[in-house]
Amino acid sequence: MSGALDEEDARALAGREVALIDLLDRLLQGGVVLAGDLVLSIADVDLVRIDLRAVIAPVDAEHPAPLLP
């Protein structure tokens, strides 16, 4: 079983409207991992490099926030 959408499923989803709040709700129910790299360069000289790794997950009684005061 493949995780990729076939062409027919992709066309069916392309015309479907999804509210932003519904999308966020679905993403946060299971958690989201964000990852990215940003490099600012001038004349082929790297000036700034930012590596971003973040896990966004819901907080509840079973999974409390890790940074409570």
Side-chain angles (χ1 to χ4, degrees):
M1 182 173 156
S2 173
L5 296 175
D6 63 22
E7 197 169 312
E8 184 177 326
D9 290 338
R11 270 189 256 134
L13 291 174
R16 184 175 168 205
E17 290 186 21
V18 177
L20 180 59
I21 191 70
D22 292 335
L23 179 62
L24 287 174
D25 186 50
R26 285 186 179 208
L27 289 174
L28 292 178
Q29 283 181 358
V32 178
V33 175
L34 299 175
D37 300 318
L38 175 67
V39 177
L40 299 177
S41 303
I42 295 177
D44 287 334
V45 176
D46 294 345
L47 300 175
V48 176
R49 179 180 175 157
I50 300 171
D51 294 327
L52 172 67
R53 308 287 184 262
V55 175
I56 301 173
V59 175
D60 56 17
E62 293 181 23
H63 304 95
L67 301 176
L68 290 177

